Amino acid sequence: MTSLQSYENLEREELLERIASVRRQAGERLAIFAHYYVEDEIVELADFVGDSLALAQRAANSPAEALLFCGVHFMLETADILANRPEKIAARAGKRMDVMAAEATAGCPMADMITDAQALQWKSQLERIVDFSEFTPITYVNSSAAIKAFCGRHGGAVCTSSNAEKVVCEALSKRGKILFMPDSRLGRTTALQVGVPNDEIAIWDPRVKTDLGGLTEEQVARAKVIAWDGFCPVHQRFSIDFIKNLRKETPQAQVWVHPESQRVIVENSDGFGSTSKLISVVDAAPEGSTIAVGTEWKLVRRLQKRNPNKTILWPGSEPVVCVNMAKTTLWKVAWALENWRDGSPVNIVRTEPEVAEEAYLALKSLL
């Protein structure tokens, strides 16, 4: 295995040539996927760029033998589970797809906000008050494979910001109540969007020291949706003052935000949607438009570059990037690819079979 440090000081052009050389040798055996939030130079070399839903769907159907996934850990777990189903492995003549990370430590703070042990304890506490079988557990895709498995084990589903409304509506039609994890912002916004009254949405705060996540037994019993109070640190940084000032100074401006944003931000926007939705809104806007886009800064910056005849703003005092997405760099990509080519693949993500099987039951909602 070649050491990572030996790549750090290589010139950009040499790194690009090394990456291109591996890709020429590998052909269709290798694919590179990237999330919208990674650095521009990674986006530019990827075979496919998308949000969590599109990436998961494409990974499930990729014919490649190896996938370098430029994103964060939960995305690689999802890709591994979907791409290495028994029927997928059989179609590759018994070969697993190697799902590789360029940076092993690229995680997700939101995904880390609920563990399998916490989910089990949550269930146990709820069962003292309500019939747990009345609830469908739904996890945002920004969660670990273990949490997806928890949901699959209990007849639940996985959603993304693209399909959350559809998944929630279907769940409510089957059992009538929902546990939503780990993003309370997306949970509340989606529940309100599908018509759940605000007083029937309860937020379970795992940080309080009292039982029931700071809720009363009456609130738990009344709730149609109980959401775990996790969040994305980046999407909490938008400013209501910025939005109000923008409305005064530029009345024709629009504000579109990601549903991971705080509720007050969503309520004061013109609309909300997944990353792909936000991109489509900006691209479709007429020349001369002013649009504040509430999502990760690297994507907003990219939208500014590709829409020079529009004013694209970040709705806060200081742009914020996802530091974990930024961990994937060109030299780490070159290192990972050359080690794979030389037969020493690095940072392979592989989910335990039992966890993968249960998680797949929930992940089918994405397919």
Side-chain angles (χ1 to χ4, degrees):
M1 180 189 298
T2 309
S3 71
L4 178 58
Q5 288 71 27
S6 63
Y7 288 77
E8 188 172 0
N9 295 318
L10 295 179
E11 295 293 332
R12 183 175 188 275
E13 291 308 313
E14 181 176 352
L15 291 170
L16 289 173
E17 177 50 39
R18 288 187 176 211
I19 291 168
S21 176
V22 174
R23 300 180 80 177
R24 285 192 298 269
Q25 294 173 56
E28 294 184 354
R29 294 170 52 230
L30 171 70
I32 300 176
F33 284 9
H35 191 273
Y36 285 123
Y37 296 169
V38 299
E39 298 288 352
D40 290 358
E41 61 184 5
I42 307 300
V43 167
E44 289 166 6
L45 61 81
D47 296 302
F48 181 72
V49 182
D51 61 11
S52 294
L53 178 60
L55 289 166
Q57 292 171 333
R58 187 64 71 97
N61 296 303
S62 175
E65 294 177 16
L67 171 60
L68 182 69
F69 202 124
C70 303
V72 294
H73 188 74
F74 76 81
M75 297 177 182
L76 280 84
E77 284 186 327
T78 299
D80 173 57
I81 293 166
L82 294 178
N84 287 312
R85 296 289 303 152
E87 64 273 18
K88 303 289 184 181
I89 294 175
R92 296 190 211 101
K95 294 181 180 178
R96 288 183 61 90
M97 176 194 282
D98 284 336
V99 179
M100 303 177 289
E103 173 51 65
T105 67
C108 172
M110 181 195 295
D112 293 340
M113 288 181 188
I114 184 168
T115 65
D116 188 38
Q118 287 177 306
L120 291 171
Q121 185 180 35
W122 191 18
K123 176 177 179 288
S124 178
Q125 288 186 277
L126 287 170
E127 286 176 327
R128 302 197 328 246
I129 302 167
V130 296
D131 181 354
F132 190 79
S133 67
E134 295 178 354
F135 287 84
T136 299
I138 297 175
T139 185
Y140 191 23
V141 71
N142 297 42
S143 57
S144 68
I147 290 300
K148 294 178 177 72
F150 171 85
C151 290
R153 196 181 314 136
H154 297 290
V158 175
C159 76
T160 70
S161 53
S162 298
N163 72 349
E165 186 174 337
K166 180 179 179 181
V167 172
V168 166
C169 280
E170 184 172 345
L172 288 173
S173 71
K174 289 182 176 180
R175 298 188 194 171
K177 296 183 178 182
I178 287 173
L179 291 186
F180 196 97
M181 62 197 91
D183 184 9
S184 65
R185 280 60 164 165
L186 177 63
R188 183 190 290 278
T189 291
T190 305
L192 291 170
Q193 186 73 6
V194 303
V196 178
N198 191 54
D199 64 356
E200 293 181 13
I201 303 170
I203 306 300
W204 186 286
D205 186 350
R207 291 167 288 276
V208 301
K209 294 182 179 179
T210 57
D211 283 347
L212 305 181
L215 300 172
T216 65
E217 291 191 6
E218 181 184 358
Q219 287 173 313
V220 171
R222 184 176 65 242
K224 199 169 187 177
V225 174
I226 303 177
W228 186 268
D229 195 19
F231 57 89
C232 168
V234 171
H235 286 100
Q236 307 314 297
R237 303 293 291 276
F238 310 130
S239 165
I240 187 60
D241 290 337
F242 178 97
I243 294 173
K244 289 179 177 178
N245 289 334
L246 179 65
R247 301 288 194 198
K248 292 176 183 177
E249 296 169 5
T250 314
Q252 74 276 18
Q254 292 193 53
V255 179
W256 281 78
V257 301
H258 196 281
E260 290 176 14
S261 306
Q262 296 181 73
R263 185 63 200 167
V264 66
I265 300 296
V266 174
E267 289 172 342
N268 283 275
S269 68
D270 294 285
F272 63 90
S274 67
T275 308
S276 295
K277 173 68 174 178
L278 298 179
I279 292 171
S280 67
V281 166
V282 172
D283 286 347
E287 291 188 8
S289 298
T290 297
I291 308 174
V293 184
T295 191
E296 204 270 355
W297 166 242
K298 291 190 292 297
L299 175 59
V300 176
R301 183 184 61 199
R302 201 173 301 136
L303 290 172
Q304 290 173 338
K305 291 179 181 178
R306 69 190 252 180
N307 291 275
N309 297 318
K310 305 168 191 176
T311 301
I312 313 300
L313 305 172
W314 197 87
S317 58
E318 183 178 348
V320 177
V321 302
C322 174
V323 295
N324 282 282
M325 291 286 191
K327 288 180 178 180
T328 298
T329 62
L330 207 58
W331 54 279
K332 292 174 184 175
V333 167
W335 168 72
L337 291 181
E338 290 195 332
N339 274 287
W340 171 76
R341 178 200 61 194
D342 297 340
S344 301
V346 296
N347 299 340
I348 299 293
V349 172
R350 183 166 295 186
T351 312
E352 291 294 327
E354 183 178 349
V355 173
E357 190 61 35
E358 291 184 329
Y360 179 71
L361 297 176
L363 280 164
K364 288 192 291 185
S365 57
L366 302 187
L367 304 179

